[in-house]
Amino acid sequence: QVQLEEAGGGLVQAGGSLRLSCAASGRTFSMYNMGWFRQAPVKEREFVAAISRSGGGTKYADSVKGRFTISRDNAKNTVYLQMNSLKPEDTAVYYCAAGNTGMMQTTTRGYNYWGQGTQVTVSS
C-alpha cells in the first residue's frame, strides 16, 4: 500500500512557474514508476509526465514537453513536477500516481495508487 499526498498547487499568472511535490508513504517508493496526471473540468484525466523507478527515464505529454520537468528523490520518497511557462490551458487538478508495472505508463490504468490532487489555476 502506498499513500500519496500532493502539494504546491496554487494560482499563478500565465508565463509563471510552479513546483508540485508528491510525498509517498512507505519504504518501497523506489519500486514504483511515478506519474503526474491532470484533470480539467468536464474533461477526462490526462497524462502529463512519468518517471522510472531510478529516475533515469522520463516521458512527457506533447502539450507540456519543454515546459515541465518531472524528477524524483528516492531518499525523500518524493516526486516533483516543475512547471514553467504556464498557460491558462494548464489549469486543472494535478494528481500524482504510483505504478508497479514493468515500464512507465501513460494511461491511468497503468497506476495502482493515486493522490487526492492539487489545484493549479493559471490566469491570463
Side-chain angles (χ1 to χ4, degrees):
Q1 186 80 9
V2 177
Q3 292 184 324
L4 304 172
E5 185 172 359
E6 303 95 337
L11 174 64
V12 64
Q13 288 189 331
S17 298
L18 281 175
R19 188 193 196 202
L20 305 183
S21 62
C22 174
S25 65
R27 294 178 290 180
T28 59
F29 178 72
S30 61
M31 296 176 59
Y32 292 89
N33 295 313
M34 299 298 295
W36 284 97
F37 288 74
R38 66 187 181 186
Q39 188 166 16
V42 302
K43 290 190 175 181
E44 291 188 354
R45 194 169 296 189
E46 66 174 4
F47 170 75
V48 174
I51 190 165
S52 64
R53 293 172 176 81
S54 68
T58 56
K59 289 185 178 181
Y60 295 93
D62 288 343
S63 59
V64 307
K65 204 170 292 184
R67 299 188 298 123
F68 290 10
T69 302
I70 188 171
S71 62
R72 67 189 296 164
D73 186 336
N74 285 345
K76 295 183 178 179
N77 283 10
T78 302
V79 62
Y80 305 96
L81 186 68
Q82 178 67 42
M83 306 186 294
N84 298 329
S85 302
L86 282 161
K87 305 174 181 180
E89 51 263 44
D90 294 318
T91 295
V93 177
Y94 283 71
Y95 299 89
C96 73
N100 57 9
T101 58
M103 299 176 63
M104 289 182 287
Q105 301 292 319
T106 60
T107 66
T108 58
R109 288 176 295 178
Y111 293 86
N112 310 92
Y113 303 102
W114 293 84
Q116 293 298 308
T118 185
Q119 176 70 46
V120 171
T121 303
V122 184
S123 63
S124 58

